[in-house]
Amino acid sequence: MSGAREKKRAKKMRNQPASVTLPAEPGPFTGGGSRACPPPGDVCSEEQQQKFSNQSSGPSYRKDQYFSKGQSRGERGRGRGGWQGGHQSVSEEMPKYITVSTFAQARAAEINAMLKAVSQKSSNSLVFQTLPRHMRRRAMSHNIKRLPRRLQEMARKEAEKAVHQKKEQSKTKCRKARRRHINLVAEFNHRQRKNIWLETHIWHAKRFHMVKKWGYCLGNSPTEKSYRACYRAMTKHCLLQDLSYYCCLELKGKENELLKQLARMCSIDTGLTFQEACCLSGRFEGSLYLYRADRYPEDMLGPVTFIWKPRDGSENRQLWIWVHPALKQDILRELKAIFQCTEPEEMCIPEHVTSVQEEKQVEVVTSLGSKRKKEDKEGEKAVPVKKIIGDGTRDPFQSYSWIAQTTGIAISDRSMEILRYRLIGPLSHSVLTETLKAASVQTEMAGSETELNNWWVENCKDSEKVSLHQCQSAIFELLEGMSSPSDMPPGTILGLTVGDPRVNLPKKKTKAMPDFEKYQDNDKVRQLYLKGVPVDCAHSFIWDHDIRKNVTENKISEQDLNHMRAQLLVPGSHLDLGPCESKIPILLVQQPGKMAGEDRPGWGSGWDIYLPKGWGMAFWIPFIYRGVRVGGLQEALKHSEYQRTPHTPNDFPDCQAGMQFAKELETSLLEKFKRRPPAKRANYVKLGTLSPFICPWGQLTKNWEGRMKASGGFFCPSSTHPECCTTEGQTSCDPKAEVVREASPETGEVEETMEITNSEGALKTEDGTSIQDFGERDEIKTSDFIVLRSEKLLMQLSAWCYPTAGKDRRIRLISRLGQKAMTEDAFLPMLMSYPRALIWVNLSLLRKGNPELHAMICIPTEDDLLHLSKDKLFCGPQEPKHRDIFKDKVQKQKEKKKKKKDNVKSLESDLPGIPDEEATEDHEDLILGLWSDALPDVTSHCSRTVLGYVTRGDFSLAAGCGEALGFVSLTGLIYMLHNQPADKKGLVLLRTPASLQYRFARLNIEV
């Protein structure tokens, strides 16, 4: 019997009793059973009766009908389960006996299956949808009586079930209701429970790619192509950025107590401190690096900027510290610890979720079922005004202000209470002067019922404050005659009170341009260049919390402003609000731009403007109408890259936020690497790249420290052959490392691969600890290394990096005046004090090339420098290919996994299979193309000694060549400079992770 017939027979015998059998082959039955009796009128021939009588008594199970004598064989074979036509006709006869109980049990199973199929639906369709199409009616979907009576009961049950499962329909389901202000505010508040929106969020969301970072929803980059346009705006016109996500920490208390404790968190070696005289007066903004108390140069917290409120005659002072949201929690925790502020002064209760406003909101929502007339004013009054106090970096129900019981110093978190916009470019002051107009002096109240401008009226009664306001207005108007913000002293602060900028909105977009002729021969502009803004003019009413609150709450709405514009006799004319015009206190802070280095001084300078909350869009749109271009996080990154300054938190590997950023970046790059098919991935093991997704700063500094301690003659001339240099590094740091050299079939060069023969498979350091493996490499302690930020030492290193020959020799020699010569007496104390230190450097490629993230900075050999001297077009050497020592392990792992998948049952029952499973688990994290074991010596793994890594790199539109920013080891840098010839000082090699090509670059340290 064929396989198909066996399956067919088994299917028919599935529910049959044991007393009934089906013949295996078609033909006469072996049993004595026979078919049912023919209906009357049919006569069987004697031949058929004789045939039936000779059959055995085995009954058959066929759901065949009795065919009459007149039916043909073809007709018999058409029905399902009928007899087959042709020569395979079979005769059956009634069985002589059956087992009743077994037979009834089999029939009962069939009957139950039939009833179940009839009672239950086999699809998700409704009852009226099961009817034939000619019986369906449209009213059946909602009128059960239109269905046939036999289906009405089932349809009624379906209707009752749907009512219970149906969710309650929202009363604001139509678009008109959804677009009402009350419902929009409720929806927006619901959508920003986890990530806070800035006041310009909706404007950005329509034009930018949005990302969720640091508890905020921020614009990353514009959706349109604007990479070069943003650079042109920073260089020639103005670029606008919303920095309101930066956090403001306010400190109040006695000046001596504040300075005494804050001095523990900073060092004069790094530059400015809180005690700087020009900053302490409130005239200039300062910037510095914060550390944990008494822990300099270790335990870095991050960079901050600070502003002191100008003295007003009282003993207490007020200080604003602006921090990045990624650094806020660490800095706030340290401030509370040193000032011993443990008592919460106020509790942070978000104003947009207060109980009274929730009740009003519920009342308005419940009344939305009926139509609201346009003249109904109660609905507008019931709309809750959205007021944000907290931010996304803290629990909104925690305290946001703390006070010390002993000293009386108060620390307040003013995040999102003060908005901050940044204007970058040479014409940023022109945009300011055209957009903002100084507020007019007002001595009368706008109305007895409103509190609009009452603070301004009270201050205008004081003649000294009026004269101060007029002096500030005069200085502000002089900014229009300046060619660039970099002409002002760095960090200049100007306080001002301005009118509502929405009143001066132009009819269409214009480009703000300076008026040089108006102030060409003005001595006041020259005095402003030389002396800057006076101390008194740095005062602003924005320091007062009550005034900020009054300005925010009494803002004229856009609806009222548009209604006033509609009532003008001449449409489009200037709208004069008179005493009803809002007065807004602001603070202007000059940003100096690029200050370090010799090229492009003042590039990227601009102004920061500080506003009270609630006025974000009121200032944003007028700036847009003056022709500025808006940038996001990526534009801010490029701005700092062209300035060659570290960007927060990317370029701070020694603080917690920087390490967290590196972990997240490694995870995202590794996931992206795994998503690609193996044939399309770069094999970083063959390329000699140990860590393509993260920079192993801790191990880099440890390896260089080990090289210095292992050999007394550390500072000897570098070897001519690269393999000798590699061997030296391996013997000094890892005595059990071996170099395997193979000839490459393509180039004929020697390929080198270092194999770790340590029994534990990890590199041992001098303290006996082993280097972490690939999965645990990111857990680097802060104390493993530091970043050297001492200005005195950095200036010394910067002078050593300049060559004493070649072009610009005279300028570079001038920069070296006053610095020590590079002798052992000069650099050995530096190495002893900072054995594991990193140096922030910038690199410019000499020829073509585009540096990338995590590129390796290497030391060129004498042969490389000699080749470059002979051939000026020499791009750089090539790294010989390495041997993939993990390829066989990965292949075995794949085979074991495949074998285990194919033989799961046999492996479970077989006890000797357990060791194979353990061996497979040991190599579960093996990835083809990545170094999976503990990292060897990162400095000597390749043919050129690794000096550091690149954190940011790209083609620079400002320099016209490839530029990179990164960190190098202090020990390695001094080793390289000590052994390089005088005319080749500062020359290094760059190699991207996915390439074998080295390229020459010039290393500089700008201070």
Side-chain angles (χ1 to χ4, degrees):
M1 182 183 296
S2 63
R5 290 181 179 177
E6 287 182 356
K7 292 180 180 179
K8 188 174 181 181
R9 181 175 181 274
K11 185 176 180 181
K12 291 183 178 181
M13 292 292 296
R14 186 168 47 195
N15 295 323
Q16 304 310 314
S19 59
V20 180
T21 58
L22 193 69
E25 294 291 340
F29 287 89
T30 56
S34 63
R35 288 175 46 96
C37 294
D42 285 348
V43 180
C44 296
S45 61
E46 295 180 359
E47 183 181 354
Q48 288 176 337
Q49 291 179 359
Q50 184 67 23
K51 198 172 186 180
F52 286 154
S53 61
N54 293 334
Q55 292 175 351
S56 62
S57 61
S60 66
Y61 175 70
R62 284 185 181 269
K63 300 178 182 179
D64 302 331
Q65 297 179 355
Y66 183 83
F67 294 97
S68 60
K69 191 176 182 180
Q71 285 180 315
S72 63
R73 293 177 179 176
E75 291 175 349
R76 296 175 186 174
R78 289 173 190 166
R80 184 177 179 181
W83 292 358
Q84 300 292 331
H87 299 284
Q88 296 180 356
S89 59
V90 180
S91 299
E92 297 179 0
E93 58 184 20
M94 182 71 67
K96 294 183 178 179
Y97 61 89
I98 60 173
T99 306
V100 177
S101 59
T102 310
F103 186 80
Q105 185 178 0
R107 302 290 80 72
E110 294 179 355
I111 295 172
N112 290 332
M114 182 180 64
L115 292 176
K116 185 177 180 181
V118 172
S119 60
Q120 292 185 355
K121 294 189 302 180
S122 59
S123 64
N124 294 328
S125 59
L126 300 176
V127 174
F128 70 91
Q129 293 175 333
T130 59
L131 290 171
R133 294 189 178 273
H134 70 279
M135 294 181 63
R136 298 181 188 179
R137 299 294 181 268
R138 184 181 301 171
M140 290 180 179
S141 60
H142 59 84
N143 190 0
I144 297 177
K145 293 184 178 180
R146 298 300 300 268
L147 283 165
R149 290 181 179 176
R150 61 184 177 85
L151 301 177
Q152 288 183 7
E153 186 64 25
M154 193 179 300
R156 195 172 289 108
K157 292 180 180 180
E158 284 183 353
E160 293 176 357
K161 185 178 180 181
V163 168
H164 293 294
Q165 292 181 349
K166 189 177 182 182
K167 295 182 179 179
E168 184 178 356
Q169 290 288 342
S170 175
K171 295 181 181 179
T172 60
K173 56 183 178 180
C174 66
R175 188 181 187 277
K176 182 179 179 181
R178 288 199 311 268
R179 299 301 298 175
R180 286 175 184 155
H181 181 69
I182 175 64
N183 296 326
L184 282 178
V185 171
E187 181 189 358
F188 292 162
N189 287 338
H190 178 76
R191 287 165 59 183
Q192 56 178 316
R193 289 179 299 174
K194 294 183 179 179
N195 297 280
I196 296 296
W197 292 359
L198 305 183
E199 292 190 11
T200 58
H201 170 82
I202 295 179
W203 190 95
H204 278 91
K206 296 177 180 179
R207 300 165 179 86
F208 276 68
H209 298 287
M210 307 301 291
V211 294
K212 296 177 180 178
K213 281 188 175 182
W214 313 304
Y216 296 92
C217 199
L218 305 175
N220 190 40
S221 60
T223 53
E224 62 179 355
K225 292 183 179 179
S226 58
Y227 180 79
R228 290 179 177 268
C230 289
Y231 169 73
R232 287 194 298 267
M234 288 187 284
T235 307
K236 297 180 179 180
H237 192 250
C238 182
L239 182 79
L240 176 63
Q241 291 178 334
D242 189 355
L243 301 183
S244 302
Y245 59 90
Y246 268 71
C247 305
C248 178
L249 303 178
E250 183 182 81
L251 277 70
K252 287 183 180 180
K254 295 181 180 181
E255 180 178 326
N256 295 333
E257 292 290 339
L258 289 173
L259 293 177
K260 179 182 178 181
Q261 299 298 332
L262 290 174
R264 301 170 55 193
M265 298 180 63
C266 56
S267 174
I268 197 172
D269 293 343
T270 61
L272 297 178
T273 61
F274 290 102
Q275 298 179 358
E276 191 69 26
C278 59
C279 300
L280 190 59
S281 63
R283 187 182 175 189
F284 296 100
E285 180 191 46
S287 61
L288 49 80
Y289 299 105
L290 288 184
Y291 295 83
R292 296 197 183 276
D294 306 322
R295 292 288 297 167
Y296 173 82
E298 299 178 354
D299 292 345
M300 170 74 172
L301 291 177
V304 300
T305 59
F306 64 94
I307 302 175
W308 285 95
K309 181 182 178 182
R311 292 185 176 93
D312 53 1
S314 63
E315 188 179 5
N316 290 336
R317 295 296 301 275
Q318 191 171 347
L319 172 67
W320 281 351
I321 300 178
W322 288 87
V323 302
H324 192 275
L327 314 172
K328 174 186 149 184
Q329 292 299 333
D330 295 334
I331 294 177
L332 181 60
R333 192 181 303 112
E334 189 68 19
L335 287 174
K336 289 191 295 183
I338 64 172
F339 288 109
Q340 299 178 358
C341 296
T342 56
E343 296 291 332
E345 186 181 277
E346 301 175 31
M347 293 300 295
C348 176
I349 302 176
E351 298 184 12
H352 64 278
V353 292
T354 54
S355 59
V356 177
Q357 290 173 349
E358 281 186 349
E359 293 175 1
K360 291 183 179 180
Q361 182 174 340
V362 171
E363 291 176 2
V364 175
V365 172
T366 53
S367 63
L368 289 178
S370 58
K371 285 188 177 181
R372 292 194 308 177
K373 297 181 180 180
K374 293 182 180 180
E375 56 268 19
D376 183 12
K377 298 300 181 183
E378 290 186 5
E380 296 297 331
K381 291 180 181 179
V383 174
V385 180
K386 180 186 171 187
K387 300 174 184 177
I388 301 175
I389 286 184
D391 62 18
T393 61
R394 67 165 184 259
D395 188 354
F397 295 99
Q398 289 182 354
S399 57
Y400 68 96
S401 186
W402 304 266
I403 188 170
Q405 298 296 332
T406 56
T407 59
I409 293 177
I411 301 176
S412 302
D413 187 1
R414 300 300 182 191
S415 303
M416 297 298 294
E417 288 193 28
I418 303 169
L419 308 182
R420 184 177 176 182
Y421 294 161
R422 175 163 292 179
L423 296 167
I424 304 171
L427 301 185
S428 55
H429 55 276
S430 301
V431 173
L432 284 174
T433 53
E434 285 196 18
T435 305
L436 308 178
K437 301 299 177 184
S440 58
V441 178
Q442 181 181 348
T443 57
E444 297 180 358
M445 298 290 294
S448 58
E449 299 180 357
T450 179
E451 296 181 358
L452 179 64
N453 298 333
N454 60 351
W455 64 274
W456 180 244
V457 174
E458 292 295 331
N459 286 284
C460 286
K461 294 178 181 179
D462 190 350
S463 59
E464 293 182 0
K465 294 182 179 179
V466 171
S467 61
L468 178 61
H469 173 67
Q470 293 174 352
C471 181
Q472 291 174 338
S473 303
I475 293 176
F476 178 71
E477 292 176 358
L478 291 176
L479 296 179
E480 189 178 357
M482 302 183 69
S483 60
S484 174
S486 60
D487 297 335
M488 297 284 290
T492 299
I493 298 176
L494 175 62
L496 192 63
T497 303
V498 298
D500 196 333
R502 298 172 292 178
V503 177
N504 304 321
L505 201 65
K507 296 181 182 179
K508 61 180 181 180
K509 281 188 178 182
T510 57
K511 193 171 184 178
M513 299 297 294
D515 189 1
F516 297 113
E517 297 179 357
K518 185 178 179 181
Y519 302 94
Q520 188 173 4
D521 299 327
N522 199 332
D523 293 336
K524 295 182 179 179
V525 177
R526 296 192 188 97
Q527 292 296 325
L528 191 61
Y529 285 153
L530 298 176
K531 297 182 180 180
V533 178
V535 180
D536 297 338
C537 293
H539 178 269
S540 176
F541 293 104
I542 198 174
W543 288 94
D544 195 333
H545 175 71
D546 296 332
I547 293 179
R548 291 199 308 266
K549 185 177 180 181
N550 182 286
V551 172
T552 301
E553 292 178 351
N554 294 285
K555 175 191 172 185
I556 301 177
S557 64
E558 292 285 344
Q559 182 180 5
D560 296 340
L561 206 61
N562 293 332
H563 184 66
M564 295 177 188
R565 288 196 182 103
Q567 292 179 349
L568 291 173
L569 295 177
V570 180
S573 61
H574 178 71
L575 178 63
D576 187 9
L577 298 179
C580 295
E581 183 180 359
S582 300
K583 308 298 188 295
I584 307 103
I586 64 172
L587 201 65
L588 298 176
V589 181
Q590 189 260 4
Q591 297 298 318
K594 190 176 185 298
M595 298 180 64
E598 302 170 358
D599 57 333
R600 293 181 281 118
W603 186 93
S605 59
W607 290 89
D608 279 7
I609 176 172
Y610 297 86
L611 311 168
K613 69 175 181 179
W615 284 88
M617 290 303 297
F619 280 76
W620 186 266
I621 297 301
F623 284 145
I624 300 297
Y625 268 75
R626 263 67 184 192
V628 302
R629 183 169 285 274
V630 182
L633 297 178
Q634 290 300 318
E635 283 67 33
L637 187 68
K638 286 298 175 184
H639 178 241
S640 64
E641 183 177 327
Y642 292 156
Q643 284 186 332
R644 299 170 184 167
T645 56
H647 189 72
T648 310
N650 309 23
D651 300 321
F652 291 89
D654 55 337
C655 70
Q656 292 295 330
M659 290 187 283
Q660 181 65 27
F661 174 83
K663 292 178 185 178
E664 295 174 357
L665 181 62
E666 181 190 21
T667 302
S668 63
L669 292 177
L670 184 59
E671 290 177 355
K672 184 179 179 181
F673 180 80
K674 290 180 179 179
R675 286 196 299 267
R676 299 177 67 88
K680 303 300 180 183
R681 301 175 188 168
N683 193 325
Y684 292 109
V685 179
K686 288 187 176 181
L687 295 171
T689 305
L690 292 175
S691 181
F693 306 136
I694 192 172
C695 300
W697 303 118
Q699 186 164 350
L700 176 71
T701 54
K702 285 179 182 178
N703 294 153
W704 274 108
E705 184 187 19
R707 291 169 70 106
M708 182 182 66
K709 290 183 178 180
S711 59
F714 178 76
F715 296 102
C716 58
S718 59
S719 175
T720 306
H721 303 286
E723 55 268 13
C724 297
C725 195
T726 306
T727 309
E728 286 180 9
Q730 290 159 359
T731 53
S732 61
C733 292
D734 189 5
K736 297 184 181 180
E738 296 180 359
V739 178
V740 180
R741 300 172 186 170
E742 298 177 357
S744 174
E746 294 91 353
T747 60
E749 298 180 1
V750 176
E751 292 188 3
E752 299 179 0
T753 303
M754 187 173 66
E755 296 182 353
I756 304 297
T757 58
N758 195 330
S759 59
E760 296 179 5
L763 181 65
K764 293 289 184 178
T765 58
E766 62 275 4
D767 55 355
T769 57
S770 61
I771 303 301
Q772 297 165 341
D773 57 6
F774 180 79
E776 300 175 351
R777 238 179 294 156
D778 50 2
E779 298 178 1
I780 302 174
K781 296 181 180 179
T782 311
S783 59
D784 286 348
F785 63 93
I786 64 169
V787 176
L788 184 63
R789 296 186 174 91
S790 174
E791 288 190 349
K792 182 180 179 180
L793 298 180
L794 290 177
M795 290 179 66
Q796 181 69 71
L797 291 171
S798 177
W800 291 344
C801 289
Y802 286 130
T804 56
K807 64 177 183 177
D808 297 336
R809 176 176 176 268
R810 182 175 58 86
I811 300 175
R812 290 171 178 170
L813 281 177
I814 293 174
S815 65
R816 294 187 59 189
L817 292 178
Q819 303 297 336
K820 300 178 182 179
M822 192 173 185
T823 60
E824 291 190 4
D825 295 337
F827 59 72
L828 280 182
M830 196 183 303
L831 292 177
M832 297 303 173
S833 302
Y834 306 101
R836 296 185 182 180
L838 297 175
I839 307 293
W840 172 257
V841 297
N842 64 82
L843 305 106
S844 301
L845 292 176
L846 300 185
R847 302 285 183 270
K848 64 180 182 178
N850 191 18
E852 297 178 1
L853 181 67
H854 300 152
M856 288 168 283
I857 306 172
C858 304
I859 301 176
T861 61
E862 291 184 2
D863 288 345
D864 298 335
L865 298 177
L866 184 62
H867 196 172
L868 180 64
S869 301
K870 294 180 179 179
D871 185 8
K872 297 298 181 182
L873 300 179
F874 178 55
C875 294
Q878 276 198 347
E879 173 73 15
K881 285 186 179 181
H882 293 233
R883 186 167 60 88
D884 191 354
I885 60 176
F886 302 102
K887 187 174 182 180
D888 296 338
K889 297 180 181 179
V890 174
Q891 191 66 26
K892 290 179 181 178
Q893 175 185 341
K894 287 184 178 180
E895 293 176 357
K896 288 180 181 179
K897 285 185 177 180
K898 186 177 180 181
K899 184 178 180 182
K900 182 180 178 181
K901 186 177 180 181
D902 295 340
N903 305 319
V904 176
K905 294 182 180 179
S906 60
L907 288 175
E908 287 179 355
S909 58
D910 191 6
L911 294 177
I914 296 176
D916 294 337
E917 293 179 3
E918 294 178 354
T920 307
E921 291 176 358
D922 292 340
H923 300 282
E924 278 187 6
D925 57 343
L926 288 179
I927 302 174
L928 183 63
L930 294 180
W931 192 278
S932 302
D933 284 349
L935 289 182
D937 188 350
V938 295
T939 60
S940 57
H941 179 71
C942 301
S943 60
R944 271 66 178 177
T945 306
V946 176
L947 187 64
Y949 296 94
V950 170
T951 58
R952 281 185 291 158
D954 200 357
F955 182 84
S956 174
L957 296 176
C961 64
E963 282 196 346
L965 302 171
F967 292 93
V968 297
S969 171
L970 173 63
T971 308
L973 179 63
I974 294 177
Y975 166 75
M976 182 191 74
L977 296 176
H978 184 262
N979 296 324
Q980 278 185 336
D983 59 337
K984 302 296 182 183
K985 295 284 186 183
L987 278 184
V988 295
L989 293 172
L990 277 182
R991 183 165 73 90
T992 56
S995 173
L996 294 173
Q997 179 69 49
Y998 289 96
R999 299 197 181 276
F1000 282 100
R1002 173 73 62 188
L1003 183 144
N1004 290 319
I1005 300 175
E1006 295 184 347
V1007 186

